[in-house]
Amino acid sequence: MHTLSDKENEIVEALKKVYDPEIPVNIYDMGLIYDVTENDGDVKVLMSLTAPNCPEAERLPEIVKNTLVMNIPDLKSVNVEVTFEPAWQPSMMSDEAKIAMDMLF
């Protein structure tokens, strides 16, 4: 991941408002966001899911897009791409997410 601009940091903060529907940890700290780029109001988010057969596979990318549009009104476009390369693994979680998960289980 490249160094984030101020706008990209604003995008990351908005992404932290989106929670995995099955795990009470936001998708950014879960490690599901692989890359965020912004260029003159055009945003691209590369993300994954915890598993290819995730029941929220259709809905979660749309939730991400809507969250960004609602929280950052000056964006021109938002493109959310889902990838499974590399496959998500628990080791991709932030330390905060790992602590939260440990408290749950």
Side-chain angles (χ1 to χ4, degrees), residues 3-104:
T3 303
L4 298 178
S5 69
D6 288 343
K7 181 58 83 175
E8 289 166 342
N9 280 317
E10 185 179 358
I11 292 164
V12 166
E13 289 307 309
L15 291 172
K16 288 183 177 184
K17 296 178 181 182
V18 179
Y19 282 74
D20 184 293
E22 298 174 335
I23 303 168
V25 175
N26 73 69
I27 61 171
Y28 190 83
D29 287 332
M30 279 288 297
L32 296 176
I33 303 299
Y34 288 179
D35 195 28
V36 173
T37 56
E38 184 273 336
N39 186 14
D40 293 326
D42 296 316
V43 175
K44 182 175 180 189
V45 176
L46 181 63
M47 68 176 290
S48 192
L49 303 168
T50 54
N53 59 348
C54 173
E56 296 296 323
E58 299 278 325
R59 211 166 70 94
L60 197 53
E62 193 65 27
I63 291 170
V64 167
K65 179 178 180 176
N66 290 340
T67 298
L68 293 177
V69 169
M70 289 186 327
N71 285 277
I72 310 171
D74 60 338
L75 297 179
K76 292 181 198 171
S77 69
V78 177
N79 179 25
V80 179
E81 181 182 339
V82 176
T83 185
F84 293 100
E85 295 295 326
W88 179 84
Q89 297 179 20
S91 63
M92 296 173 163
M93 292 189 296
S94 70
D95 289 341
E96 293 84 3
K98 290 175 185 174
I99 291 168
M101 293 296 291
D102 286 344
M103 294 173 76
L104 291 171

